Amino acid sequence: MDPSGKVAIVTGGNSGLGEGGIHRLLRAGASVVSLDLSGKPPPGADFVECDVSDEGSVKSAVKQVVDRYGEIHMLLNNAGIGGLAPIATAECPCNMDEFRKIIAVNLIGAAQVAAHVSHRMIGNAPSGTDGERGVIVNTCSIASFEGQEGMGAYTAAKAALAALTLVWARDLSRHGIRVNAVAPGFMDTPMVASLPPEFVDELISGNEFPKRAGTPDEYGAVAEFLIRTPLINGEVVRLDAGARPPARTQWAAGQ
Ligand code: NAD
């Protein structure tokens, strides 16, 4: 799908990877609306306040976008939160409220947005030579495949989102809607800004090449490529410089 003249929703668009996606889609000529908890989207993008973990909030935000722009053609299903905790320690079992919160945002939230947006996409007029009605790009993680020690809830959510990418592609193919995903490795965003530098160095040293953090613009470039390429469907693209995380970092083992 050519983004020019089309309408995109980017969840979590007021920070990090979402911002990178918004910049790319704006440059490609799309109208872009960020759905986020608070903050400001990049200049040129619109904003609707939304908590993706609250279905009423998602429903209302999607309606506002349709009221303003008429149709929604693209979704970067990107909002997410981090969190580290082992399933249990000698002192206590893991905090299940924190576990549920990560699942509520990263998995249920992504599903709620995909459901309400794709329902609207189904009503779009077909466009382009393939008659596409919409494209969805989920933001997964390399934790979808190699969750490290302490990443249980995050891994559960991101592994499920990677698996759902093919299922949603199958659910929506009859309507001319494609669903793909990006699975980033370590990316330089506010989500990871407070991590200890020695931990970050160790994570990046696990890259094959190049040994550096990814950028929001690199995420945006892959998301745009997936949107533009009709034959890619049901695919999860790793964006990780060849990293295959081990069970734990030495930093984590020393904690
Ligand atoms: P970030 O913290 O910079 O941005 C996340 C955005 O999501 C924020 O604007 C935040 O307000 C928003 N958000 C959080 N909870 C929300 C909610 N309930 N409703 C609506 N918006 C909400 O983080 P980021 O690094 O840009 O992460 C973006 C996505 O990329 C996340 O899904 C994250 O899991 C994934 N990811 C990040 C990395 C990384 O290294 N940074 C690696 C792999 C995957």
Side-chain angles (χ1 to χ4, degrees):
M1 176 177 283
D2 178 355
S4 179
K6 301 284 198 309
V7 180
I9 283 180
V10 178
T11 64
N14 293 2
S15 178
L17 302 187
E19 271 193 306
I22 288 182
H23 284 301
R24 282 277 173 168
L25 292 175
L26 287 174
R27 280 209 296 279
S31 300
V32 188
V33 187
S34 171
L35 266 51
D36 208 316
L37 291 173
S38 60
K40 279 190 182 162
D46 200 353
F47 173 53
V48 174
E49 197 178 305
C50 176
D51 177 352
V52 299
S53 69
D54 172 349
E55 190 178 3
S57 173
V58 171
K59 189 176 174 189
S60 150
V62 170
K63 182 177 183 310
Q64 286 180 64
V65 177
V66 172
D67 289 347
R68 282 182 210 176
Y69 295 91
E71 293 184 338
I72 304 163
H73 307 96
M74 298 167 282
L75 166 65
L76 302 190
N77 204 6
N78 167 77
I81 55 175
L84 278 175
I87 189 67
T89 65
E91 289 74 38
C92 56
C94 87
N95 180 329
M96 288 310 298
D97 286 339
E98 282 172 22
F99 192 99
R100 270 188 285 269
K101 168 80 179 163
I102 292 170
I103 300 287
V105 175
N106 293 4
L107 176 56
I108 307 296
Q112 286 174 166
V113 175
H116 284 270
V117 170
S118 63
H119 172 66
R120 299 287 187 158
M121 285 173 169
I122 288 170
N124 290 349
S127 79
T129 46
D130 291 304
E132 283 190 277
R133 289 193 171 84
V135 188
I136 296 172
V137 178
N138 295 322
T139 306
C140 297
S141 166
I142 53 174
S144 299
F145 310 106
E146 298 101 22
Q148 291 186 291
E149 179 181 10
M151 294 178 69
Y154 188 82
T155 297
K158 294 297 187 180
L161 192 56
L164 286 169
T165 298
L166 179 61
V167 176
W168 293 347
R170 289 172 167 174
D171 287 344
L172 297 170
S173 59
R174 73 189 61 193
H175 304 293
I177 298 168
R178 290 183 296 116
V179 186
N180 289 298
V182 184
F186 186 81
M187 309 294 281
D188 188 11
T189 71
M191 179 185 269
V192 296
S194 59
L195 293 175
E198 59 276 21
F199 179 46
V200 171
D201 288 347
E202 195 181 340
L203 287 176
I204 289 172
S205 75
N207 285 7
E208 290 303 321
F209 176 83
K211 290 191 186 294
R212 62 166 175 79
T215 66
D217 186 56
E218 287 174 302
Y219 161 83
V222 176
E224 184 183 352
F225 169 72
L226 292 173
I227 286 171
R228 283 187 183 276
T229 312
L231 219 56
I232 303 181
N233 199 2
E235 185 60 63
V236 184
V237 178
R238 295 182 71 124
L239 180 66
D240 62 4
R244 296 292 182 273
R248 61 193 59 78
T249 55
Q250 287 179 20
W251 179 88
Q255 294 305 296

